Amino acid sequence: MNKQEIKDLFLKVKNQNPLVHHITNNVTINDCANATLAIGGSPVMATSSEEVADMVKLANALVINFGTIDDETYASMVRAGQAANKKGIPVIFDPVGVGATSFRTNRAKDFLEHVRVSIVRGNASEVFALIGGEASTRGVDSGTLSISVRDLAKNAASKLETIAVISGELDTISNGNQIVQIENGDIWLTRITGTGCMTASLIACFSGVTEDWFSAAIAGMSVMSLAGERARKAIQDNEGIGTYRMKLMDEIFLMDNQIWAEGVRLL
């Protein structure tokens, strides 16, 4: 991981305007589109199995999000993922809620058998479930684990042959050899919906302009954590979670390599 190389990714995203194809969560689809635009990418949200493969041909990255998974959507996800593999663009997989129900867990494991995933981004419980672990999961929230987050990230990256990104008190990223943790963030990021989904979109924007997907994952994850931290600092005493949501998007839009370099805390 080279911090200067990550700084350079910000300019690449702004200059190249990567097209990110999403098959994502219906609850947060608008947030994902706006976060993509805010950082400098271009979003598309096509879901029909009749066109997803053609749309992938135009894209620089693909986001697959299990938030509102059903059989029809899943078929489109597999088709899009295989088209992305054929083209050679990164697939960012957000296994929302995996581990909470057998349906989600089985579909996620099946997806990994049919599609080569470049980056997995989830909370600890979701990622743990992907590699066969059992955790106490409540809806889409993380539960308790029998493994440290550092070991989980490294094991998941190695077992799934991917970049593993785990959100938490310390966001953790591993490529199976290296481990980077991010100290930035704020508890209010957990009090609005969509921050995890938006993070997958940010990661996709950065991974769409480089072949160094480890650095792209660090960039996308740290942008959300740092933006969340900066947004909270901008909140006044008479402002609440609605204002915070608005300020979070502002901070993503205002983020550049200089703000990032001065504010990010990587371990």
Side-chain angles (χ1 to χ4, degrees), residues 15 24 33 46 57 95 110 132-133 150 166 174 260:
N15 292 333
T24 191
K57 293 177 182 178
D110 184 74
R150 289 179 64 90
I166 302 175
S174 179
W260 179 84

Side-chain angles (χ1 to χ4, degrees), residues 28-121:
T28 62
I29 189 169
N30 187 64
D31 297 316
C32 293
N34 282 325
T36 301
L37 289 167
I39 200 65
S42 181
V44 62
M45 271 62 182
T47 60
S48 172
S49 62
E50 298 300 317
E51 69 169 346
V52 290
D54 288 337
M55 194 63 74
V56 165
K57 293 177 182 178
L58 305 174
N60 301 104
L62 171 67
V63 172
I64 298 294
N65 179 303
F66 262 33
T68 48
I69 185 73
D70 57 34
D71 287 338
E72 185 176 352
T73 303
Y74 178 70
S76 294
M77 290 174 170
V78 172
R79 191 167 186 177
Q82 291 176 340
N85 288 166
K86 185 176 181 179
K87 184 180 180 183
I89 63 172
V91 177
I92 294 80
F93 181 38
D94 195 336
V96 177
V98 168
T101 69
S102 58
F103 174 76
R104 287 175 182 272
T105 304
N106 292 338
R107 277 288 192 265
K109 291 179 178 179
D110 184 74
F111 183 77
L112 291 172
E113 290 179 3
H114 289 89
V115 175
R116 186 171 64 257
V117 169
S118 311
I119 300 168
V120 170
R121 190 231 67 87

Side-chain angles (χ1 to χ4, degrees), residues 113-241:
E113 290 179 3
H114 289 89
V115 175
R116 186 171 64 257
V117 169
S118 311
I119 300 168
V120 170
R121 190 231 67 87
N123 65 39
S125 294
E126 292 161 348
V127 175
F128 194 45
L130 281 182
I131 61 172
E134 294 184 5
S136 173
T137 304
R138 186 182 66 180
V140 300
D141 296 326
S142 185
T144 57
L145 300 179
S146 59
I147 185 174
S148 74
V149 69
R150 289 179 64 90
D151 287 341
L152 174 58
K154 188 173 182 179
N155 291 349
S158 297
K159 186 171 183 177
L160 302 177
E161 298 182 338
T162 188
I163 307 298
V165 181
I166 302 175
S167 58
E169 185 174 351
L170 283 178
D171 301 317
T172 306
I173 303 98
S174 179
N175 58 7
N177 295 310
Q178 298 170 280
I179 298 174
V180 170
Q181 291 188 295
I182 302 164
E183 281 193 307
N184 303 92
D186 190 89
I187 190 63
W188 278 25
L189 284 169
T190 67
R191 295 180 180 176
I192 58 175
T193 190
T195 54
C197 302
M198 286 188 278
T199 301
S201 297
L202 296 174
I203 291 171
C205 288
F206 287 107
S207 63
V209 298
T210 182
E211 294 182 355
D212 182 0
W213 296 332
F214 184 51
S215 292
I218 296 168
M221 187 74 247
S222 60
V223 164
M224 178 57 72
S225 298
L226 179 55
E229 184 178 283
R230 289 170 59 87
R232 179 67 183 279
K233 290 177 180 178
I235 290 290
Q236 304 299 312
D237 289 341
N238 63 339
E239 296 174 332
I241 207 70

